[in-house]
Amino acid sequence: GENVEQHPSTLSVQEGDSAVIKCTYSDSASNYFPWYKQELGKGPQLIIDIRSNVGEKKDQRIAVTLNKTAKHFSLHITETQPEDSAVYFCAASIAGRNNDMRFGAGTRLTVKP
Amino acid sequence: EPEVTQTPSHQVTQMGQEVILRCVPISNHLYFYWYRQILGQKVEFLVSFYNNEISEKSEIFDDQFSVERPDGSNFTLKIRSTKLEDSAMYFCASSEGGAGLAGEYFGPGTRLTVT
């Protein structure tokens, strides 16, 4: 089955700097890679996702890149703001099959003002 | 903005008791899910539900678990006889499309503590 590893477990950056979180996956059949942001006391919120037919996707200050050959994908946040502070989870699955979805362990991002 | 709601936010129960966790998905969504997160561990998929039946379930979702959509708005997770290891945060989610086809919206979670 799929196994997702996420690094780093904690990340601290200064406001305005960029943050990068990396995930690797094991199942080459995985083709859907969502990223979630979880703020304190709330459930995970989908912030961006990428499918395997795309190498990069961007939404304002957030971008995700996917390297299918190396089986890794990354979340990039530019111009970080204190409100970006949260736990971020990556996940990998085969579209249409929730049972195969595996989450990373999470990265606690702290943006210092 | 529409959101998924869950009640209660925290449920404490004794081992062997039955619990029902409740969720109200976003009204125009057709797919519903339960996930759990044991403290310090990864989020794990439990079950997905579509068209009034389970579409997928994980190994965790054994005979002690059941889901129901008793009316047009609620989606519930029942644990028949709770065990200590059921203590976790349980998240409900809903989406317009199926897995990987449309974004899933998560509720705030119910913290279940089994003593």
Side-chain angles (χ1 to χ4, degrees):
Chain A
E2 178 62 274
N3 183 46
V4 176
E5 299 292 334
Q6 183 172 346
H7 300 280
S9 56
T10 59
L11 179 60
S12 181
V13 299
Q14 284 297 132
E15 183 176 359
D17 288 350
S18 294
V20 181
I21 302 170
K22 299 182 180 181
C23 288
T24 60
Y25 62 100
S26 59
D27 188 348
S28 56
S30 291
N31 59 7
Y32 177 63
F33 307 93
W35 284 89
Y36 297 88
K37 175 184 181 183
Q38 186 176 20
E39 296 173 287
L40 198 62
K42 298 184 180 179
Q45 299 301 315
L46 179 70
I47 55 171
I48 195 167
D49 56 15
I50 190 168
R51 289 174 174 78
S52 60
N53 58 348
V54 173
E56 182 175 355
K57 184 175 178 181
K58 193 172 179 183
D59 182 2
Q60 298 180 27
R61 297 186 296 108
I62 293 172
V64 57
T65 58
L66 171 66
N67 183 326
K68 285 186 293 183
T69 305
K71 296 210 234 6
H72 64 71
F73 56 113
S74 300
L75 177 72
H76 304 251
I77 306 174
T78 58
E79 300 171 29
T80 53
Q81 300 166 2
E83 49 266 39
D84 293 330
S85 296
V87 178
Y88 291 81
F89 294 97
C90 64
S93 75
I94 298 171
R97 288 164 55 172
N98 266 100
N99 208 4
D100 297 311
M101 180 171 282
R102 295 293 182 266
F103 285 78
T107 296
R108 181 173 298 281
L109 173 64
T110 302
V111 180
K112 299 179 195 173
Chain B
E1 186 176 329
E3 57 183 19
V4 175
T5 59
Q6 288 185 244
T7 54
S9 56
H10 191 190
Q11 173 86 50
V12 181
T13 190
Q14 288 192 325
M15 195 168 53
Q17 295 296 304
E18 173 184 287
V19 293
I20 297 177
L21 310 183
R22 301 179 193 280
C23 168
V24 178
I26 293 172
S27 60
N28 64 330
H29 285 183
L30 302 175
Y31 295 80
F32 315 112
Y33 314 87
W34 283 100
Y35 293 82
R36 80 171 185 191
Q37 185 178 25
I38 295 171
L39 189 65
Q41 297 186 23
K42 297 180 179 183
V43 176
E44 300 171 291
F45 168 74
L46 292 178
V47 65
S48 60
F49 191 87
Y50 170 71
N51 200 26
N52 282 320
E53 60 182 20
I54 290 174
S55 45
E56 284 183 281
K57 58 182 181 179
S58 70
E59 299 166 344
I60 303 166
F61 195 88
D62 61 22
D63 292 344
Q64 292 300 310
F65 291 87
S66 62
V67 289
E68 194 178 27
R69 189 152 163 81
D71 52 45
S73 59
N74 290 284
F75 179 52
T76 61
L77 174 70
K78 182 194 288 187
I79 309 175
R80 253 179 281 283
S81 177
T82 49
K83 303 188 279 272
L84 293 176
E85 52 265 38
D86 293 327
S87 295
M89 197 76 170
Y90 288 81
F91 294 107
C92 171
S94 69
S95 64
E96 287 183 86
L101 302 176
E104 293 176 26
Y105 290 76
F106 281 72
T110 293
R111 180 169 298 284
L112 176 64
T113 302
V114 182
T115 61

